[in-house]
Amino acid sequence: MKNSWTLTFLLVLLCSCGKDAGTLSYEDLQEFTDSLTPYGTYFWDEFGQYRDLYNLGEAESRLLGEWFSLNPSDRGDYYFYPNKLFVYVFDKLIYKNDGTKSINGALGTWDLRGNMVTVTIYGLDQVTEWTHWWDGKHEYIRIDPFEAVITDVREIYSTGYTRKLFRPLRFPWDLDSNLIRAQMPGNPPGKMVKEGIGMIRFLYWVDVITNSGKLEHNYNMFRYVPDMAEHKVSGLDIVSSPDMVYKYFVESFSLPYVL
């Protein structure tokens, strides 16, 4: 009987430990970056003063931030905000019938349905009058909303990465059939930098040269989280208003190629 109980205990112990066996820590993720661009940062560690305002569960909280792949050929970046705003930024998709006009991003809302992260897209970032990959005139165009499943939230490790890639956003056929992907300069398609890592969470980089003379966190696409929180602006409010989109994602940024 004693041996039977011992065997049962060992089996339970092995099962409980096996689930997280081989899980990478936050420190492990830093091996693929440098001290000025930390990977895996937990959203509420930087914006914790707004956590009670949104009342998100732990699974939802793990999703917050920017997600990208270490594989240079997987170019789409996924941004999840606590007000349920979703932004997807990618290389130019050029209109087949007009090589000076392209789609650079999509905006919508996100939700957790069971364990599936589902987004609803309401508008696109259309760019015209561009001659290089970094310039052009941005225009937010509303479209008939469509839904897409991005990932299973259970695939997201709390330390800020996944083993699998997120699903690429697929546009409705009538739009997708009229677009071709531009070949951009820079990182060519290549093998995974780290086998076994699909997506990594990112939130800020550190600016060394600042007006204050001190190191400062640059939140880039998340710099207006405080403004959205203080004015109680929801993701649906933003994607329903071209003026708000322009305010948060064009007018407010110095870099012209940011959405």
Side-chain angles (χ1 to χ4, degrees):
M1 179 65 71
K2 180 179 179 181
N3 290 336
S4 176
W5 278 108
T6 301
L7 180 60
T8 301
F9 173 77
L10 289 175
L11 288 174
V12 171
L13 181 62
L14 286 172
C15 289
S16 63
C17 294
K19 182 178 180 181
D20 293 324
T23 300
L24 298 176
S25 67
Y26 175 84
E27 288 71 26
D28 291 333
L29 295 182
Q30 308 320 304
E31 295 179 8
F32 311 107
T33 184
D34 56 57
S35 60
L36 298 181
T37 54
Y39 289 165
T41 305
Y42 186 56
F43 192 88
W44 297 127
D45 285 347
E46 297 295 314
F47 295 109
Q49 66 270 41
Y50 305 111
R51 184 167 190 166
D52 291 344
L53 177 65
Y54 295 107
N55 194 31
L56 299 180
E58 183 53 36
E60 295 171 306
S61 295
R62 287 201 306 269
L63 183 65
L64 301 178
E66 173 190 355
W67 290 87
F68 70 97
S69 170
L70 290 176
N71 188 346
S73 63
D74 299 310
R75 295 181 178 268
D77 293 339
Y78 306 72
Y79 297 81
F80 296 90
Y81 292 74
N83 62 354
K84 296 299 183 75
L85 174 67
F86 171 72
V87 179
Y88 184 54
V89 179
F90 44 82
D91 285 345
K92 292 182 186 296
L93 295 175
I94 302 173
Y95 285 94
K96 292 179 179 179
N97 61 355
D98 186 351
T100 66
K101 184 168 66 173
S102 65
I103 300 297
N104 283 29
L107 289 87
T109 58
W110 66 269
D111 201 6
L112 202 58
R113 301 180 185 175
N115 293 311
M116 306 311 295
V117 178
T118 303
V119 300
T120 305
I121 302 302
Y122 290 87
L124 304 173
D125 173 42
Q126 181 174 274
V127 184
T128 56
E129 301 177 16
W130 59 273
T131 54
H132 303 88
W133 68 273
W134 61 82
D135 62 7
K137 180 180 178 181
H138 293 262
E139 179 185 6
Y140 179 63
I141 57 174
R142 298 288 301 276
I143 62 172
D144 291 334
F146 69 93
E147 294 184 351
V149 174
I150 299 299
T151 190
D152 186 325
V153 74
R154 292 172 295 184
E155 301 287 348
I156 298 176
Y157 289 86
S158 60
T159 49
Y161 76 102
T162 70
R163 294 291 188 188
K164 298 179 181 179
L165 293 173
F166 286 176
R167 299 178 188 178
L169 188 66
R170 301 299 184 190
F171 294 113
W173 184 87
D174 58 343
L175 174 62
D176 188 65
S177 61
N178 291 315
L179 298 169
I180 56 174
R181 183 172 297 279
Q183 294 299 315
M184 298 301 165
N187 295 326
K191 63 181 181 179
M192 291 293 290
V193 176
K194 171 66 178 178
E195 184 178 357
I197 294 181
M199 309 293 292
I200 281 186
R201 186 173 61 211
F202 179 71
L203 192 59
Y204 69 87
W205 66 78
V206 179
D207 283 337
V208 177
I209 301 175
T210 63
N211 292 331
S212 67
K214 300 179 181 178
L215 298 180
E216 295 180 4
H217 290 185
N218 187 326
Y219 298 105
N220 192 31
M221 293 276 280
F222 295 101
R223 69 176 72 180
Y224 289 102
V225 165
D227 184 90
M228 295 175 186
E230 290 164 9
H231 290 89
K232 295 181 173 57
V233 177
S234 71
L236 185 58
D237 291 335
I238 294 173
V239 299
S240 300
S241 168
D243 288 341
M244 281 193 177
V245 171
Y246 188 82
K247 170 188 174 182
Y248 288 119
F249 298 110
V250 179
E251 182 181 46
S252 302
F253 289 87
S254 59
L255 297 178
Y257 59 85
V258 175
L259 182 70

